[in-house]
Amino acid sequence: MTSRPRLPQRLTAPPPGWTTTADVVVVGSGIAGLTAALRLRPHVERVLVVTKDVLDAGSTQWAQGGIAAALGPGDTPGQHERDTLVAGAGACDREAVRALVTEGPEAVRELIALGTVFDHTPGGELSLTREGGHLRDRIAHAGGDATGAEIQRALIAAVAAAPDIEVVEHALAVDLLLGTGGDGVRRVAGLTLHVIGEGQRDGVGAVHCRAVVLASGGLGQVFSQSTNPAVSTGDGVAVAARAGAVLRDLEFVQFHPTVMYLGPDSQGQQPLISEAVRGEGGFLLDAPPEEGGRRFMQGRHELADLAPRDVVAKAITGRMLETGQPHLWLDARHLGQAFWERRFPTILAVCREHGVDPVTELIPVAPAQHYASGGVATDLHGRSSVPGLYATGEVACSGVHGANRLASNSLLEGLVFSRRIAEVLPGELVEAVEPELDPRVPGLVAGDVRPSLQDTMTARVGVLRHADGIAQALDDLAGLAASEAAEAGTEAWETTNLLTVSTALALAAGRREETRGSHWREDFPDRDDAAMAGHVDAVLQHVDGRAGFLVSFTPAPSTDPSVQEVIA
Ligand code: SIN
């Protein structure tokens, strides 16, 4: 048990200046949020979607590679299940993975029926590619490397055609409101929001509702370099934590192996070079060929450049440390101009914008934060531990990713688990409960501590971790927690959320004393199934006006022998 930085119990915010009501509020507008809204609407009268920026500002829009599902000839959900379990390194929940892979193909077909235009072969078949960890071609893609953007477009069009789904943009979720129902159960009663709007709904307001679905995406801005957009500040995880929800396996942060290296000072969202570039024949080099560069992934793993991404990220990091270089190289020149233009138009344009022509030049690449495999702990139908609070997509830890998400399983998870939430949520709605007077003590850290927070998390809780570094990070975070924000506002709210999430993440990274999947402990270099096969849970406890995480280890169904058998 550990608890270090003293965190705010809730965010300081002005009292709500406006109030509205809904049955269900969906927080987030990527594939998970919009799927939940569309699937809920036929069964729930008033669905309100709130999104922090505009509808397409989240991570879905940026997904390049595609969406994985057993749709190709000869492929089966069983094979997809196997690859997912292997990548997850013994920390997946097998039931959740089974739901993902068996319901995945139908969910993707529905996405097509909704209007998503995927790429096809000249023969008219769905064009499927391969990425790290997949033994089959099973990644459907759109616009070459613009899959997320096409899915987002189709979903936004579907929501626009369902005028009874209300959407509020520029709405930051501040905190959940809780109340006690007639059955004596403490549950979600609503949500406070800050809206940059006009007229009646401007500033902080309250939505009274019967359930909240968190679909707010990732936490990439915890780190200095991430493929995530600026809006990914872990708000959903922090909001859920402050309401008492169990957080699970936050230490499993995925670092994408091939993110374009833009120099030592480049911060924030960095350009992703999709694994699909390696899927189509690109390969990694530890130096340019004329300087004796080698294809160093060969011989390290049977899948070489297409090994699961934790393996490739570790190999790149290890080689960077050995050679003292800040990046390595991706060679995909042999794909040729025409192929690049057709298959990877987005990546081609971004590389050229940054002065590298991948048709004739090597692309400098290094690992950067990409995906949170952990998050708000949920069951097979997206229920969190707080009655009335559901979570789906990257904000959730449904158990499908384990210690390392298999490439292109993220869009699929949002799709499948939002459908599963919509199956049960309408039947679980209870009468609206009155929000209680909030006993939590408010607080806020200063927005300008964000770069220091990102520096310490990147240096000490990044790709390579060690007990001493993690302890130092927690000390640094404790220092940052003592800073007080002069006034409430987006910068301070987001930074306080980042601090809350970073604290849970660092504590979880310290608790998991082994190396597994994307969690790499230099002081515990081996996987330890005997002691550590299970989940690290974190729950915020409120003491003396502040809050601290209680971190515990839970042996989990994922440790069941059948999973171990598959991945052995
Ligand atoms: C990629 O295209 O390499 C990223 C896909 C993913 O994160 O699943």
Side-chain angles (χ1 to χ4, degrees):
M1 177 186 126
T2 328
S3 67
R4 296 279 285 282
R6 288 167 53 77
L7 302 162
Q9 295 184 345
R10 68 178 170 92
L11 297 183
T12 302
W18 53 268
T19 304
T20 189
T21 57
D23 290 315
V24 180
V25 178
V26 177
V27 181
S29 58
I31 190 169
L34 296 188
T35 301
L38 287 164
R39 301 281 297 195
L40 282 166
R41 177 55 197 94
H43 313 286
V44 173
E45 197 62 34
R46 292 167 307 162
V47 176
L48 174 65
V49 176
V50 298
T51 191
K52 190 173 172 181
D53 196 303
V54 291
L55 279 173
D56 64 359
S59 291
T60 294
Q61 170 83 10
W62 294 95
Q64 294 178 349
I67 185 161
L71 291 159
D75 198 6
T76 61
Q79 294 177 61
H80 189 186
E81 178 185 0
R82 181 211 167 267
D83 292 350
T84 302
L85 293 175
V86 170
C92 297
D93 177 338
R94 190 162 196 177
E95 289 307 306
V97 173
R98 200 158 275 167
L100 180 83
V101 299
T102 53
E103 295 166 29
E106 187 198 322
V108 173
R109 281 187 209 106
E110 258 183 37
L111 211 47
I112 294 169
L114 194 81
T116 311
V117 182
F118 285 102
D119 295 335
H120 285 76
T121 64
E125 301 296 321
L126 201 57
S127 176
L128 299 171
T129 192
R130 196 176 294 212
E131 290 182 309
H134 290 271
L135 295 183
R136 289 258 175 197
D137 290 353
R138 65 166 72 93
I139 320 291
H141 47 88
D145 56 2
T147 315
E150 170 57 15
I151 291 173
Q152 185 79 67
R153 180 204 63 73
L155 286 167
I156 290 175
V159 167
D164 40 10
I165 296 177
E166 195 187 349
V167 176
V168 180
E169 295 182 318
H170 303 290
L172 174 83
V174 177
D175 267 307
L176 287 166
L177 300 167
L178 299 168
T180 304
D183 52 3
V185 173
R186 204 141 182 275
R187 55 185 308 112
V188 165
L191 180 72
T192 52
L193 289 174
H194 177 260
V195 179
I196 302 172
E198 284 172 357
Q200 284 192 330
R201 281 197 206 152
D202 189 26
V204 174
V207 187
H208 295 179
C209 63
R210 299 156 75 194
V212 169
V213 179
L214 288 176
S216 49
L219 48 78
Q221 300 307 320
V222 158
F223 297 92
S224 305
Q225 293 88 25
S226 169
T227 60
N228 293 186
V231 288
S232 300
T233 51
D235 306 325
V237 173
V239 162
R242 288 193 292 267
V246 174
L247 308 182
R248 178 157 293 166
D249 291 346
L250 280 178
E251 70 279 18
F252 293 135
V253 177
Q254 192 163 68
F255 291 81
H256 196 287
T258 56
V259 177
M260 191 175 184
Y261 179 74
L262 299 180
D265 301 326
S266 182
Q267 303 261 317
Q269 188 178 13
Q270 309 291 306
L272 175 68
I273 311 295
S274 174
E275 278 198 38
V277 175
R278 278 172 285 137
E280 300 287 1
F283 52 85
L284 289 156
L285 290 171
D286 57 3
E290 57 279 13
E291 291 169 25
R294 283 185 313 116
R295 292 189 62 177
F296 65 97
M297 281 310 299
Q298 289 183 335
R300 283 181 189 251
H301 189 279
E302 54 176 346
L303 295 175
D305 292 275
L306 280 176
R309 68 176 55 146
D310 62 315
V311 175
V312 184
K314 282 177 192 169
I316 293 180
T317 305
R319 201 71 195 111
M320 281 163 46
L321 289 172
E322 280 161 19
T323 59
Q325 300 169 121
H327 65 84
L328 299 186
W329 287 265
L330 181 65
D331 191 348
R333 295 173 294 181
H334 58 288
L335 299 183
Q337 169 113 356
F339 188 86
W340 264 103
E341 281 173 356
R342 177 177 59 77
R343 184 65 182 84
F344 300 118
T346 315
I347 300 172
L348 181 65
V350 169
C351 285
R352 284 177 172 167
E353 249 169 56
H354 290 285
V356 174
D357 186 346
V359 179
T360 55
E361 293 174 285
L362 303 177
I363 309 171
V365 290
Q369 193 281 347
H370 183 56
Y371 192 84
S373 298
V376 179
T378 61
D379 68 7
L380 290 173
H381 287 91
R383 302 177 187 97
S384 77
S385 59
V386 175
L389 179 65
Y390 301 74
T392 169
E394 190 172 355
V395 68
C397 181
S398 67
V400 298
H401 304 312
N404 180 46
R405 176 177 63 82
L406 183 66
S408 288
N409 267 356
S410 51
L411 293 174
L412 190 69
E413 184 200 24
L415 193 60
V416 167
F417 282 84
S418 292
R419 286 160 44 109
R420 291 177 78 79
I421 287 175
E423 279 167 17
V424 299
L425 187 152
E428 294 175 359
L429 282 176
V430 298
E431 282 303 306
V433 299
E434 199 51 41
E436 282 165 5
L437 213 60
D438 201 329
R440 296 172 295 179
V441 179
L444 216 49
V445 298
D448 60 9
V449 307
R450 189 190 295 211
S452 307
L453 177 149
Q454 291 169 328
D455 285 349
T456 196
M457 290 301 288
T458 304
R460 308 182 198 291
V461 200
V463 186
L464 276 176
R465 298 167 177 174
H466 186 285
D468 297 342
I470 295 169
Q472 181 61 55
L474 284 163
D475 281 349
D476 292 349
L477 295 176
L480 301 179
S483 74
E484 300 262 330
E487 60 182 58
T490 303
E491 192 57 28
W493 287 322
E494 284 185 346
T495 305
T496 307
N497 287 341
L498 288 170
L499 178 75
T500 301
V501 172
S502 298
T503 301
L505 202 163
L507 288 167
R511 181 67 183 82
R512 187 172 287 283
E513 295 182 329
E514 63 164 348
T515 288
R516 180 187 295 269
S518 55
H519 176 63
W520 186 1
R521 285 283 300 256
E522 288 178 289
D523 46 346
F524 293 95
D526 299 319
R527 197 167 112 188
D528 183 355
D529 282 338
M532 299 294 321
H535 299 302
V536 176
D537 288 345
V539 180
L540 207 58
Q541 309 281 304
H542 295 184
V543 185
D544 295 338
R546 298 291 276 182
F549 280 102
L550 185 71
V551 176
S552 61
F553 181 75
T554 317
S558 58
T559 61
D560 84 36
S562 65
V563 172
Q564 304 304 331
E565 219 170 85
V566 171
I567 65 172

